[in-house]
């Protein structure tokens, strides 16, 4: 998909029809409950791990933007120290969206680009492991059950990212955000922001329950390999 094509995605391809929305919601609820039951013991172990290694709450709460830019409370298992300054991430996110080369990015052309904040001093010892394994993301199952998110969709944006968006980037907000998506299974942190948005819009224009199931299955090896995570 080229950028000029994405700028002209018809509204009917972007906005889900009611029947499709309800089908996706049932899919999310049924699979979400199963995931919660299966992973509940692991989530309890993670909660204990977090409490034993650093002071603070088990869950990290953050405001994110959902469908049509509506704010909601986003959950992750806490991977950072309590009360840290988030300005470093804000600056990094703005740089990433503008497609500027991160300062810690390797200039070795033989190395694949990784567009993610690494060696973050705010991350706890437990948090490093949780991020590498993507297990901190499991808490978002509560967002799925609440209806703030879907199992599959674009990653939810942070409010301070929106002013940096180009106009065509904003189309990614026309879908319910997801725990995983095409970006996570195709490139994760190894693609620039414009390419991530192209993948989001490709998903929005072609989404179906069949595609959601494929992406969920593709997510398993992506998580196991931990490629681009961190």
């Amino acid at each position: 998909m080229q950028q000029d094509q994405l700028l002209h995605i018809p509204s009917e391809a972007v906005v889900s029809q009611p029947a499709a929305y309800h089908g996706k919601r049932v899919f999310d609820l049924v699979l979400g409950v199963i995931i919660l039951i299966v992973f509940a013991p692991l989530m309890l172990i993670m909660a204990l791990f977090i409490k034993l290694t650093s002071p603070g709450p088990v869950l990290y709460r953050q405001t994110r933007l959902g469908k049509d830019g509506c704010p909601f409370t986003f959950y992750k298992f806490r991977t950072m120290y309590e009360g840290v300054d988030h300005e470093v991430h804000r600056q990094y996110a703005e740089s990433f969206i503008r497609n500027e080369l991160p300062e810690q990015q390797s200039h070795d052309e033989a190395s694949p680009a990784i567009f993610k904040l690494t060696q973050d001093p705010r991350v706890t010892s437990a948090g490093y492991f949780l991020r590498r394994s993507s297990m901190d993301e499991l808490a978002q199952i509560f967002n799925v059950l609440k209806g703030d998110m879907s199992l599959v969709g674009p990653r939810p944006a942070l409010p301070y990212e929106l002013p940096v968006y180009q106009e065509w980037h904003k189309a990614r907000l026309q879908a319910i955000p997801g725990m995983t998506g095409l970006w996570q299974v195709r490139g994760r942190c190894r693609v620039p922001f414009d390419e991530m948005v192209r993948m989001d819009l490709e998903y929005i224009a072609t989404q179906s329950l069949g595609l959601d199931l494929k992406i969920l299955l593709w997510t398993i090896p992506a998580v196991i390999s931990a490629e681009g995570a961190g």
Side-chain angles (χ1 to χ4, degrees):
M1 265 192 174
Q2 300 299 317
Q3 180 172 326
D4 56 349
Q5 292 176 304
L6 297 177
L7 289 168
H8 298 94
I9 291 178
S11 59
E12 61 269 19
V14 175
V15 181
S16 300
Q17 297 299 319
Y21 168 78
H22 291 304
K24 185 175 177 67
R25 182 66 185 139
V26 171
F27 178 84
D28 285 340
L29 284 173
V30 171
L31 214 52
V33 169
I34 293 172
I35 291 171
L36 181 60
I37 293 171
V38 170
F39 285 97
L42 176 60
M43 293 168 76
L44 289 174
I45 294 172
M46 289 163 53
L48 182 61
F49 188 30
I50 292 168
K51 293 297 289 185
L52 289 176
T53 53
S54 64
V58 169
L59 292 181
Y60 173 66
R61 294 168 173 82
Q62 184 181 51
T63 299
R64 294 283 185 115
L65 302 180
K67 187 179 184 301
D68 300 324
C70 295
F72 70 95
T73 301
F74 172 85
Y75 302 115
K76 290 183 76 170
F77 282 104
R78 182 174 59 83
T79 61
M80 295 183 291
Y81 293 102
E82 184 74 352
V84 296
D85 185 4
H86 296 287
E87 183 61 25
V88 62
H89 184 272
R90 178 180 186 133
Q91 293 175 1
Y92 191 90
E94 291 175 353
S95 177
F96 172 56
I97 292 168
R98 294 189 181 106
N99 293 308
E100 297 171 357
L101 189 68
E103 288 185 5
Q104 75 252 41
Q105 172 61 44
S106 168
H107 291 272
D108 180 2
E109 293 183 359
S111 301
I114 299 178
F115 297 88
K116 189 163 185 172
L117 186 62
T118 57
Q119 300 177 348
D120 191 339
R122 303 172 302 161
V123 178
T124 65
S125 55
Y128 176 79
F129 171 76
L130 294 176
R131 287 187 173 199
R132 288 294 300 171
S133 62
S134 297
M135 288 195 297
D136 58 321
E137 309 279 355
L138 274 174
Q140 292 159 43
I141 199 66
F142 299 117
N143 288 121
V144 173
L145 296 177
K146 286 175 60 180
D148 298 323
M149 293 177 61
S150 175
L151 290 172
V152 180
R155 289 300 293 158
L158 287 155
Y160 56 69
E161 295 175 351
L162 197 57
V164 194
Y165 274 16
Q166 296 179 39
E167 196 61 33
W168 71 278
H169 292 158
K170 296 177 183 178
R172 69 186 300 271
L173 300 176
Q174 297 182 17
I176 301 171
M179 289 181 65
T180 187
L182 282 179
W183 169 62
Q184 287 89 333
V185 299
R186 286 184 180 174
R188 299 190 78 178
C189 309
R190 297 182 179 272
V191 295
F193 183 74
D194 282 358
E195 186 61 27
M196 186 190 82
V197 175
R198 290 186 182 101
M199 292 182 196
D200 285 339
L201 300 188
E202 177 186 341
Y203 168 77
I204 292 170
T206 60
Q207 63 182 308
S208 67
L209 295 184
L211 179 58
D212 281 8
L213 186 57
K214 287 180 181 178
I215 291 173
L216 288 170
L217 292 174
W218 292 335
T219 300
I220 297 172
V223 169
I224 292 173
S225 70
E227 186 177 353

